[in-house]
Amino acid sequence: MKSKPVNIFTILDYLTYSKKPYEQLTDEEKEVINPYMLHRFISMNENYVGITNLAQNFPPTEKEKIYKFYLEFIPKNKVYLKYIKSNKKNLNSKLLEILSNYFKVSSREVLDYIPLLGGSIVKEILGNYNLEKKEVKELLKGF
């Protein structure tokens, strides 16, 4: 019978549901403990943000203390720690340059303009630059 591979999600399960003491972890499981990733995933649950904030006071080299801290303070509960991805869109740098020249503002300020403009207005602005349809389509990728 094959055993499941040990990864960060195994460790998170031990902390939140199985409540497996540090002393019972195998050497392989202890190796997988990554304080940065533990903090990152546990902080995705709004109920555990305060706990994570306190746990980050431990030096990252003290894996055992961090593990035991989380084990003690996180209540036994089956939780889904969904990683929340950034919803920022990666816009084409040439598009940002064109819009910043058009509005005569910095590219950082243009990032604030874009949600207000909408796709049709941006297409209209690009139409003023005599670009081919293929170029316009490429510039609007990710918009």
Side-chain angles (χ1 to χ4, degrees), residues 73-132:
F73 286 98
I74 294 177
K76 182 177 180 173
N77 196 3
K78 189 77 170 168
V79 292
Y80 176 64
L81 299 169
K82 180 180 180 190
Y83 184 73
I84 303 170
K85 295 180 184 176
S86 172
N87 60 1
K88 279 188 174 180
K89 295 177 182 175
N90 291 330
L91 297 174
N92 189 312
S93 59
K94 187 175 178 184
L95 174 64
L96 292 177
E97 184 182 332
I98 289 171
L99 292 175
S100 65
N101 287 336
Y102 182 83
F103 290 110
K104 299 192 182 347
V105 295
S106 72
S107 56
R108 188 181 302 161
E109 288 176 289
V110 165
L111 289 172
D112 294 334
Y113 287 28
I114 289 176
L116 304 172
L117 293 174
S120 59
I121 295 174
V122 172
K123 281 182 186 177
E124 189 177 311
I125 292 169
L126 292 175
N128 296 335
Y129 285 86
N130 297 325
L131 299 171
E132 294 179 23

Side-chain angles (χ1 to χ4, degrees), residues 6-106:
V6 178
N7 56 33
I8 188 70
F9 302 107
T10 308
I11 303 302
L12 288 168
D13 180 64
Y14 292 163
L15 289 171
T16 59
Y17 187 67
S18 303
K19 296 303 216 178
K20 188 173 184 178
Y22 187 82
E23 293 75 22
Q24 292 180 7
L25 296 178
T26 65
D27 289 337
E28 181 186 8
E29 291 169 335
K30 289 177 182 177
E31 276 296 311
V32 171
I33 296 173
N34 180 336
Y36 172 75
M37 293 306 290
L38 285 179
H39 298 322
R40 195 167 179 168
F41 273 96
I42 292 172
S43 69
M44 293 298 144
N45 184 316
E46 63 185 34
N47 298 323
Y48 303 151
V49 171
I51 295 168
T52 305
N53 194 29
L54 293 172
Q56 289 178 347
N57 291 324
F58 292 110
T61 54
E62 297 187 22
K63 293 179 178 184
E64 182 177 355
K65 282 186 179 178
I66 293 169
Y67 183 90
K68 287 181 175 181
F69 179 84
Y70 279 131
L71 190 66
E72 182 71 28
F73 286 98
I74 294 177
K76 182 177 180 173
N77 196 3
K78 189 77 170 168
V79 292
Y80 176 64
L81 299 169
K82 180 180 180 190
Y83 184 73
I84 303 170
K85 295 180 184 176
S86 172
N87 60 1
K88 279 188 174 180
K89 295 177 182 175
N90 291 330
L91 297 174
N92 189 312
S93 59
K94 187 175 178 184
L95 174 64
L96 292 177
E97 184 182 332
I98 289 171
L99 292 175
S100 65
N101 287 336
Y102 182 83
F103 290 110
K104 299 192 182 347
V105 295
S106 72

